[in-house]
Amino acid sequence: MKLDGKVAIVTGAASGIGKRIAEVFAAHGAAVAIADLNLAGARATAQELVAKGGKAIGVAMDVTDEAAVDSGVDQVVRELGAVDILVSNAGIQIVNPIDRFSYADWKKLMAIHVDGAFLTTRACLRHMYARGKGGAVIYMGSVHSKEASKLKAPYVTAKHGLIGLAKVVAKEGAEHGVRANVICPGFVRTPLVEKQIPEQARELGISEDDVVKKVMLKETVDGEFTTVDDVAACALFFAGFETNALTGQSIVVSHGWFMQ
């Protein structure tokens, strides 16, 4: 899969899964905008890619802020010339049982995952449609786009919602050559997941080791975490697939945790 001449925006790309996707895209020829709430981190990641021979910029973006998203995408188009690929990856996790989940935390998580996906999609589609050369929209879903887990009501709700959004974008974008798909990873040992391990241990009253073995990896075929490389490979596949033959779909990358 070659991305020569393509311009990609990856949200939440200063670290974790987003950073690895940005690295893989740059290695396969794309110019990459590292869009993150942490501008210093975004610029540092962009500088790393440039040092390796890639083309990249760091862009400040709060995906819950309409004006920030629109201006950030406009900046990418000004500086890199276009936007061909959006990876809507920015996300957080908050765990609590529903009866103790604060409304403020619910709204915060939904805003980042769902509102952020909508706002970045809308901003990018406007440029993709106007340019007339198609594009790819990739959402970072989760096995929780398909399955539920305790303590994660807003996260599970949001990740299910991304599949619905992708299907609508796939139908509306088809006449413009724009595809939309969802990557659904299992647990990837990023800082986001590392933070969850002690939190779930406290809430469930079990050890951290049991959280990993008996909760996170219990249903996998091999007891292994999904890796950032696994997820980035799927992102590259979706980004490089040039026709509407593959649109409105979701790929689960979970060591067999969920099988479609």
Side-chain angles (χ1 to χ4, degrees):
M1 291 290 177
K2 294 293 185 183
L3 302 180
D4 294 331
K6 302 291 187 182
V7 176
I9 297 175
V10 185
T11 68
S15 62
I17 291 172
K19 181 176 181 179
R20 185 59 185 146
I21 290 171
E23 290 170 344
V24 169
F25 279 11
H28 285 79
V32 185
I34 311 298
D36 204 284
L37 192 61
N38 175 5
L39 179 58
R43 286 175 170 166
T45 295
Q47 288 170 358
E48 289 178 24
L49 299 185
V50 170
K52 294 176 182 176
K55 185 174 184 180
I57 61 171
V59 179
M61 189 177 291
D62 176 351
V63 297
T64 70
D65 184 315
E66 181 177 14
V69 170
D70 289 345
S71 64
V73 172
D74 287 345
Q75 177 188 344
V76 173
V77 173
R78 283 196 310 273
E79 295 189 24
L80 298 180
V83 55
D84 302 290
I85 302 158
L86 166 67
V87 181
S88 177
N89 168 75
I92 62 168
Q93 180 61 282
I94 302 170
V95 297
N96 255 320
I98 293 174
D99 61 309
R100 301 209 308 269
F101 224 108
S102 74
Y103 188 34
D105 282 346
W106 171 280
K107 289 191 289 185
K108 180 179 181 181
L109 196 146
M110 295 292 283
I112 293 170
H113 288 269
V114 180
D115 298 349
F118 162 70
L119 290 172
T120 52
T121 298
R122 186 183 66 177
C124 289
L125 287 182
R126 288 170 173 168
H127 286 285
M128 290 175 181
Y129 288 0
R131 189 165 176 242
K133 293 191 176 182
V137 178
I138 302 166
Y139 298 105
M140 193 55 61
S142 166
V143 168
H144 289 109
S145 298
K146 311 281 187 175
E147 290 277 8
S149 291
K150 293 179 179 179
L151 310 178
K152 298 181 179 181
Y155 187 84
V156 171
T157 302
K159 293 303 188 182
H160 273 66
L162 293 179
I163 287 184
L165 177 59
K167 289 178 178 179
V168 175
V169 175
K171 287 182 178 291
E172 293 186 4
E175 65 183 282
H176 303 279
V178 175
R179 308 171 307 285
N181 294 289
V182 187
I183 302 171
C184 300
F187 284 103
V188 182
R189 202 144 193 177
T190 62
L192 189 70
V193 167
E194 291 287 355
K195 178 175 175 289
Q196 289 180 58
I197 295 172
E199 291 174 344
Q200 291 204 45
R202 287 193 299 271
E203 289 292 341
L204 297 172
I206 60 178
S207 70
E208 292 186 16
D209 190 53
D210 279 348
V211 169
V212 171
K213 293 180 179 178
K214 297 180 180 180
V215 177
M216 291 183 169
L217 304 181
K218 177 183 177 182
E219 301 299 332
T220 65
V221 297
D222 53 10
E224 296 290 339
F225 280 98
T226 303
T227 69
V228 291
D229 286 340
D230 296 330
V231 181
C234 285
L236 178 63
F237 174 63
F238 275 143
F241 201 101
E242 292 285 353
T243 77
N244 286 335
L246 183 60
T247 193
Q249 305 302 314
S250 55
I251 291 182
V252 180
V253 191
S254 68
H255 287 255
W257 170 9
F258 179 88
M259 299 185 186
Q260 292 179 303

